[in-house]
């Protein structure tokens, strides 16, 4: 039996290794986002500073490990073998859950996941355990509550969700005051405020991470802590004087105090992250290790030893903390999913407008509409002079004509506020042994500062609000999914024992590998799509416009050609799955073209004066591509809906006609690709337009024939509707192709004359 638990313990530490990698990929956004978004330093410098913070912060984690041992459940109510089931269930569920959120690019809370997984697994084991001795469910439910540390659970959950509200409000207030003082043109004011800013910000970071963090160090004696608490005011005064003097010296040396604060805040937040969140990754296997040692020392059977000894505080072996810190640092440097998750918060908090990460919803529109109304009402009560004065402090400097759309998401003032406020709030929670969610705090602080900084303007507010609700909704989903997964896996392991554990490990491994493969495929597709988008160097000349337009047309034509053939082939055999895939592919094409259209503003600003007149050509090209994507989307969606509703299959002659059209369209699409590749536009394009027009005439004849058939033969109304819809939309698609190639030919001829 001992070998079984040794294997289980080994499996837990292996799972913890994987959990650390997926967890850090999710949580790195918390301390990297502000520094990276503001470009306060080179990425390599930011990563080095964050790595040092993570390494040191691992030492502060010792006190937080008690949450996994006794914070959620009452250990005296469980036997050793039951606790091992709980711990294994938590680790299995955590890896799957965090890996899923990493793949979709949403930041979720590792604290919420671990708390609710512990809760779900504890409830699951307690439930199946009580079912053996109680016949009535009501008695089982009453008994289960005795197994849970309900007071601590309530405190943890309330602390987490209260931190969401507090972080948003505090972040908004601090950023509003900061911007009122410094405005967006803050450089000239730093002559007088550099010392004060450095003194306040760096003193705050020092207070929360040095004074409050000392209690987590095993080598700090009680007498030393008491001395620090007694002389806190004196230490704060010394810190302020030192950092204020340092801030002024840095100004004289022409070093930005804001960048110093951002790097210091990155270090502080990384340190707070490691101190607060390391329990989420290794707390469970460490608790299992302690349980195993207690069982070995007791020498009693595994099914009769209760684990009340876990209530006693024990020092976590330093080797565990050091190895975990090292693994976190390595993940920070080598995980490609870190930047993917970071994009969500960056998009929601960026100062400028552009392609938004989320779509607007009815709720976000309603909230924005209500906010606009409330703002207009409040403005009536504020004197105009005061209102004008406030608005003037938020006026952004005019962008230079040569400014690129690729610029920092926001400035160093907001980045510094994000880091100082977030690290301070998290460090307070850590000092009180409250497992605050670093994700919740940093995300809501960032959203609060964005709102106060007026980054959510009328053009972006509905999308940003929708994004916030999507992320918050993901947090609630995390809580529910973590509880359910923990409960179900615990029940499976309880009955299946070691065989179930081995099976679940292989299943989790399969899911993680499959998600990794799917993620890499998606990343490759995104890189390929990015290559097709313009950059400033390509589009400053007419030849650059021709090049990127050819690429866009070729990509769209290739996809539409494949889609049209696939839709007709799948419709002929009523392949529901195939048509659904076509519908998804058509939607992706429309999204890609929408992305190109969203860049029109930056495109026009990027080209030089001699090429401005060709902007109309580029815009019309995108318009025709948009029309073509709409047509193929309609064809795919209509065909899928017909089969999905189980309507009658199209007649043989209808399928035959559509396949004939599809084959002729395929030949013309291939000619378009050939024309674009060899740049023979004049003669080849003229003949192509004639051939495509002939297909359009053939479709008109098929429509007329179907009208005659309806009057003379029996036919299905649904089939008739589908057939007409496909023919008519194909005509629209052909018309767009003709217009597109005619435009391209005329522009190319004009370009040759130039």
């Amino acid at each position: 039996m001992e070998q079984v638990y040794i294997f289980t313990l080994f499996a837990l530490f292996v799972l913890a290794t994987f959990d650390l990698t997926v967890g850090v990929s999710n949580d790195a956004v918390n301390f990297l986002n502000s520094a990276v978004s503001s470009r306060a330093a080179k990425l390599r410098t930011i990563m080095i500073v964050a790595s040092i913070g993570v390494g040191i912060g691992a030492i502060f984690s010792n006190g937080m490990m008690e949450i996994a041992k006794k914070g959620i459940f009452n250990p005296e109510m469980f036997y050793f073998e039951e606790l091992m089931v709980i711990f294994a269930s938590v680790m299995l569920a955590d890896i799957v859950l965090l890996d899923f959120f990493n793949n979709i690019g949403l930041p979720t809370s590792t604290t919420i996941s671990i708390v609710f997984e512990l809760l779900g697994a504890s409830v699951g084991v307690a439930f199946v355990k009580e079912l053996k001795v109680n016949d009535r469910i009501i008695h089982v439910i009453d008994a289960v509550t005795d197994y849970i540390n309900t007071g601590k659970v309530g405190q943890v959950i309330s602390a987490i969700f209260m931190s969401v509200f507090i972080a948003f409000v505090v972040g908004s207030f601090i950023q509003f005051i900061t911007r009122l003082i410094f405005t967006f043109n803050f450089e000239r004011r730093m002559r007088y405020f550099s010392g004060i800013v450095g003194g306040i910000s760096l003193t705050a970071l020092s207070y929360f991470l040095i004074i409050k963090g000392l209690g987590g160090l095993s080598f700090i004696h009680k007498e030393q802590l008491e001395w620090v608490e007694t002389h806190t005011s004196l230490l704060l005064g010394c810190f302020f004087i030192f950092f204020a003097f340092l801030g002024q010296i840095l100004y004289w040396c022409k070093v930005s105090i804001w960048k110093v604060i951002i790097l210091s805040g990155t270090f502080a937040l990384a340190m707070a992250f490691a101190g607060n969140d390391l329990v989420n990754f290794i707390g469970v296997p460490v608790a299992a290790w302690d349980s195993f040692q207690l069982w070995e020392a007791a020498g009693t059977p595994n099914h009769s030893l209760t684990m009340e000894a876990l209530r006693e505080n024990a020092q976590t072996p330093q080797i565990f903390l050091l190895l975990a810190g090292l693994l976190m640092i390595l993940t920070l440097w080598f995980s490609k999913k870190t930047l993917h998750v970071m994009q969500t918060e960056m998009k929601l908090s960026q100062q400028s407008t552009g392609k938004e990460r989320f779509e607007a919803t009815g709720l976000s529109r309603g909230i924005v509409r209500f906010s606009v109304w409330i703002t207009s009402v409040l403005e009536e009560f504020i004197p105009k002079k005061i209102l004008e004065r406030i608005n003037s402090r938020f006026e952004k400097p005019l962008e230079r004509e040569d400014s690129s759309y690729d610029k920092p998401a926001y400035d160093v003032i907001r980045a510094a506020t994000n880091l100082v406020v977030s690290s301070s709030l998290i460090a307070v929670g850590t000092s009180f042994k409250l497992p605050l969610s670093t994700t919740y705090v940093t995300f809501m602080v960032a959203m609060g500062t964005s709102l106060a900084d007026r980054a959510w303007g009328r053009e972006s507010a509905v999308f940003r609000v929708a994004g916030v609700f999507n992320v918050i909704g993901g947090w609630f989903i995390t809580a529910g999914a973590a509880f359910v997964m923990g409960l179900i896996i615990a029940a499976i392991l309880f009955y299946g024992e070691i065989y179930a554990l081995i099976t679940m490990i292989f299943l989790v491994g399969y899911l993680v590998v499959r998600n990794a493969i799917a993620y890499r495929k998606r990343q490759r597709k995104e890189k390929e799509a990015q290559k097709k988008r313009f950059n400033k160097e390509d589009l400053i000349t007419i030849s650059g416009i021709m090049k990127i337009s050819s690429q866009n047309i070729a990509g769209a034509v290739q996809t539409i050609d494949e889609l049209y053939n696939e839709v007709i082939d799948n419709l002929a055999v009523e392949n529901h799955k195939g048509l659904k895939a076509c519908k998804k592919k058509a939607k992706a094409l429309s999204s890609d073209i929408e992305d190109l259209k969203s860049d029109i503003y930056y495109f026009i600003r990027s080209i030089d004066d001699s090429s401005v007149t060709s902007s109309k050509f580029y815009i019309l090209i995108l318009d025709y591509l948009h029309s073509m994507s709409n047509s193929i989307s309609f064809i795919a969606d209509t065909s899928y809906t017909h089969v999905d509703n189980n309507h009658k299959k199209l007649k043989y002659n209808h399928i035959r006609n559509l396949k004939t059209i599809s084959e002729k369209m395929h030949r013309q699409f291939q000619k378009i690709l050939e024309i674009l590749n060899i740049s023979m536009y004049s003669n080849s394009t003229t003949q192509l337009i004639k051939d495509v027009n002939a297909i359009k005439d053939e479709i008109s004849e098929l429509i007329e024939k179907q009208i005659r058939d309806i009057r003379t033969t029996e036919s299905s109304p649904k089939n008739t509707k589908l057939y007409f819809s496909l023919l008519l939309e194909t005509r629209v698609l052909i018309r767009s192709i003709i217009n597109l190639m005619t435009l391209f030919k005329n522009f190319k001829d004009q370009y040759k004359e130039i």
Side-chain angles (χ1 to χ4, degrees):
M1 182 60 70
E2 183 179 0
Q3 288 76 13
V4 172
Y5 291 118
I6 291 175
F7 170 78
T8 303
L9 204 59
F10 173 77
L12 283 174
F13 277 98
V14 172
L15 291 171
T17 302
F18 285 104
D19 199 32
L20 263 172
T21 59
V22 295
V24 173
S25 298
N26 178 83
D27 280 4
V29 61
N30 302 329
F31 51 86
L32 290 178
N33 191 72
S34 292
V36 173
S37 297
S38 63
R39 299 181 188 172
K42 294 181 179 179
L43 181 60
R44 182 181 179 85
T45 303
I46 295 171
M47 295 291 282
I48 291 173
V49 170
S51 299
I52 296 172
V54 168
I56 296 176
I59 303 173
F60 287 74
S61 299
N62 202 34
M64 295 298 298
M65 293 300 165
E66 304 306 314
I67 294 295
K69 298 178 184 179
K70 59 187 179 182
I72 305 302
F73 55 81
N74 295 317
E76 65 273 12
M77 298 296 294
F78 294 97
Y79 296 121
F80 168 67
E81 62 175 0
E82 295 166 350
L83 280 187
M84 295 300 282
V85 168
I86 292 174
F87 295 146
S89 304
V90 169
M91 297 308 298
L92 290 166
D94 205 49
I95 292 173
V96 174
L97 195 63
L98 294 182
D99 187 61
F100 168 77
F101 277 95
N102 284 346
N103 277 287
I104 63 176
L106 276 183
T108 192
S109 169
T110 53
T111 304
I112 278 290
S113 65
I114 203 74
V115 166
F116 279 90
E117 283 156 2
L118 279 168
L119 183 60
S122 303
V123 170
V125 170
F127 193 83
V128 295
K129 181 180 177 181
E130 286 297 322
L131 277 177
K132 294 181 177 180
V133 295
N134 287 305
D135 296 330
R136 299 183 65 182
I137 294 295
I138 188 67
H139 292 160
V140 172
I141 295 174
D142 288 340
V144 166
T145 57
D146 296 332
Y147 289 79
I148 307 302
N149 187 352
T150 53
K152 187 64 176 180
V153 170
Q155 180 187 5
V156 169
I157 294 175
S158 61
I160 289 173
F161 286 102
M162 277 298 294
S163 68
V164 172
F165 174 77
I166 293 172
F168 185 81
V169 172
V170 173
S172 300
F173 177 75
I174 298 297
Q175 179 61 30
F176 181 78
I177 298 300
T178 304
R179 190 62 74 186
L180 276 180
I181 296 172
F182 294 102
T183 75
F184 284 93
N185 296 300
F186 55 86
E187 289 85 356
R188 59 181 181 178
R189 294 173 177 81
M190 297 313 297
R191 178 180 179 182
Y192 307 102
F193 289 101
S194 186
I196 297 175
V197 168
I200 294 175
S201 300
L202 297 176
T203 299
L205 293 174
S206 300
Y207 173 70
F208 289 113
L209 291 183
I210 296 179
I211 297 178
K212 290 292 186 183
L214 288 177
L217 291 172
S218 57
F219 53 80
I220 298 296
H221 298 295
K222 183 178 179 181
E223 294 78 12
Q224 294 172 320
L225 290 175
E226 290 176 353
W227 185 90
V228 169
E229 291 178 2
T230 304
H231 299 84
T232 297
S233 299
L234 175 63
L235 289 173
L236 287 178
C238 293
F239 282 151
F240 179 79
I241 294 172
F242 173 75
F243 287 124
F245 185 64
L246 176 64
Q248 204 60 45
I249 291 177
L250 290 174
Y251 174 78
W252 292 332
C253 296
K254 298 183 179 180
V255 176
S256 173
I257 187 62
W258 295 110
K259 294 184 178 181
V260 174
I261 293 171
I262 290 171
L263 291 177
S264 302
T266 300
F267 169 83
L269 201 53
M271 191 172 168
F273 153 76
N276 191 74
D277 276 15
L278 191 57
V279 63
N280 301 338
F281 312 126
I282 70 168
V284 168
V286 166
W289 170 267
D290 289 344
S291 301
F292 180 76
Q293 288 187 314
L294 290 171
W295 174 65
E296 273 198 323
T300 57
N302 59 311
H303 57 272
S304 61
L305 175 65
T306 56
M307 303 304 296
E308 59 271 7
L310 286 179
R311 288 200 172 276
E312 299 177 7
N313 292 334
Q315 292 291 325
T316 303
Q318 288 294 318
I319 186 64
F320 290 166
L321 299 177
L322 293 175
L323 289 175
L326 178 62
L327 185 57
M328 292 167 79
I329 293 171
L330 292 175
T331 303
L332 191 65
W333 280 89
F334 297 106
S335 175
K336 294 181 180 180
K337 293 182 180 179
T338 300
L339 294 178
H340 180 55
V341 179
M342 195 183 301
Q343 289 297 320
T344 297
E345 185 174 317
M346 192 180 298
K347 287 287 186 182
L348 291 175
S349 59
Q350 64 183 353
Q351 194 72 40
S352 59
T353 58
K355 186 179 184 297
E356 297 293 338
R357 173 76 166 77
F358 297 92
E359 296 292 332
T361 63
L363 178 62
S364 67
R365 294 187 186 99
I367 291 175
V368 172
R369 192 176 297 115
F370 178 74
S371 300
V372 171
W373 176 75
I374 286 292
T375 302
S376 63
V377 171
L378 292 176
E379 287 177 350
E380 295 295 327
F381 296 95
I382 301 175
K384 288 187 177 180
K385 289 186 177 181
I386 296 178
L387 194 61
E388 290 174 358
R389 180 64 175 169
I390 293 175
N391 290 334
S392 68
R393 310 297 288 179
F394 286 85
E395 289 181 358
K396 301 175 182 63
L398 294 175
E399 296 181 359
R400 295 176 301 181
E401 290 298 321
D402 61 343
S403 64
S404 169
Y405 72 96
D406 186 21
K407 55 187 177 183
Y410 42 82
D411 66 7
V412 291
I413 288 184
R414 177 137 61 98
T417 304
N418 287 343
L419 290 163
V420 171
V421 174
S422 299
S423 58
S424 299
L425 291 175
I426 294 168
V428 168
T430 303
S431 67
F432 287 109
K433 304 283 194 298
L434 294 176
L436 298 181
S437 168
T438 53
T439 302
Y440 286 17
V441 172
T442 55
F443 180 82
M444 294 310 295
V445 166
M447 295 305 100
T449 57
S450 302
L451 178 65
D453 224 17
R454 302 187 179 183
W456 297 3
R458 294 289 288 270
E459 292 187 2
S460 61
V462 291
F463 307 110
R464 306 287 173 85
V465 173
V468 172
F469 278 103
N470 269 277
V471 174
I472 293 176
W475 296 343
F476 284 101
I477 292 174
T478 299
F483 180 85
V484 173
M485 288 176 65
L487 189 150
I488 293 174
I489 294 176
I492 293 172
L493 296 184
F494 188 88
Y495 288 111
E497 299 180 340
I498 187 64
Y499 305 104
L501 176 61
I502 295 173
T503 303
M504 291 299 298
I505 289 174
F506 278 106
L507 178 60
V508 169
Y510 165 74
L511 292 175
V512 170
V513 171
R514 190 189 67 173
N515 288 341
I517 294 172
Y519 175 79
R520 288 194 181 96
K521 287 182 178 179
R522 189 165 64 248
Q523 288 296 99
R524 281 197 296 268
K525 289 181 180 179
E526 290 178 1
K527 287 181 180 178
E528 291 173 1
Q530 188 66 28
K531 290 179 181 178
K532 298 176 182 178
R533 300 183 70 174
F534 76 87
N535 57 60
K536 189 175 179 181
E537 288 73 21
D538 282 339
L539 291 180
I540 56 175
T541 63
I542 293 177
S543 60
I545 296 173
M546 290 292 296
K547 176 183 175 182
I548 198 67
S549 298
S550 297
Q551 291 175 350
N552 292 337
I553 294 172
V557 165
Q558 183 72 39
T559 304
I560 292 171
D561 181 25
E562 295 171 0
L563 269 174
Y564 197 89
N565 280 282
E566 290 174 9
V567 168
I568 301 304
D569 290 342
N570 287 311
L571 182 62
V573 295
E574 296 185 299
N575 185 348
H576 181 273
K577 185 177 180 180
L579 287 172
K580 187 175 183 180
C582 290
K583 180 181 176 181
K584 185 177 180 180
K585 192 174 179 181
K587 184 178 180 181
L589 174 65
S590 297
S591 178
D592 290 343
I593 294 175
E594 281 296 326
D595 290 348
L596 294 173
K597 293 181 72 175
S598 67
D599 285 335
I600 288 176
Y601 170 81
Y602 303 107
F603 160 73
I604 295 174
R605 289 181 63 90
S606 298
I607 59 178
D608 63 7
D609 293 338
S610 62
S611 305
V612 169
T613 55
S614 57
S615 300
K616 182 180 178 182
F617 162 76
Y618 182 75
I619 294 169
L620 290 175
I621 287 290
L622 294 185
D623 186 55
Y624 289 136
L625 290 179
H626 183 261
S627 177
M628 291 168 65
S629 69
N630 283 345
S631 295
I632 196 64
S633 294
F634 179 84
I635 290 170
D637 188 56
T638 303
S639 301
Y640 170 76
T641 302
H642 183 89
V643 174
D644 193 42
N645 289 336
N646 297 304
H647 295 318
K648 289 182 179 180
K649 187 177 180 180
L650 285 179
K651 292 182 178 180
Y652 171 77
N653 61 316
H654 291 165
I655 294 295
R656 181 192 59 200
N657 294 336
L658 289 171
K659 283 197 171 186
T660 301
I661 295 297
S662 175
E663 291 169 0
K664 292 182 178 180
M665 293 272 290
H666 173 68
R667 287 194 288 270
Q668 302 311 316
F669 281 132
Q670 293 305 308
K671 288 181 181 179
I672 292 175
L673 294 175
E674 185 179 351
I675 290 171
L676 293 173
N677 288 333
I678 63 178
S679 301
M680 294 178 61
Y681 297 99
S682 299
N683 297 331
S684 300
T685 306
T686 302
Q687 183 60 44
L688 171 74
I689 293 172
K690 290 180 180 179
D691 294 339
V692 175
N693 263 317
I695 299 175
K696 189 173 74 169
D697 294 338
E698 184 177 344
I699 292 175
S700 298
E701 292 176 4
L702 291 175
I703 293 173
E704 292 176 2
K705 183 178 182 301
Q706 179 62 17
I707 292 173
R708 292 194 300 270
D709 290 345
I710 291 174
R711 298 181 63 83
T712 57
T713 59
E714 189 70 24
S715 59
S716 166
K718 296 294 184 184
N719 280 11
T720 300
K721 177 186 175 183
L722 175 63
Y723 187 54
F724 274 139
S725 297
L726 295 179
L727 291 176
L728 291 170
E729 200 60 41
T730 302
R731 272 176 54 90
V732 175
L733 175 61
I734 290 174
R735 191 184 307 125
S736 298
I737 295 170
I738 293 171
N739 291 336
L740 179 78
M741 296 309 295
T742 301
L743 173 68
F744 211 90
K745 173 183 176 297
N746 293 339
F747 184 79
K748 183 66 177 180
D749 293 340
Q750 181 183 358
Y751 171 59
K752 284 182 178 180
E753 293 175 3
I754 295 174

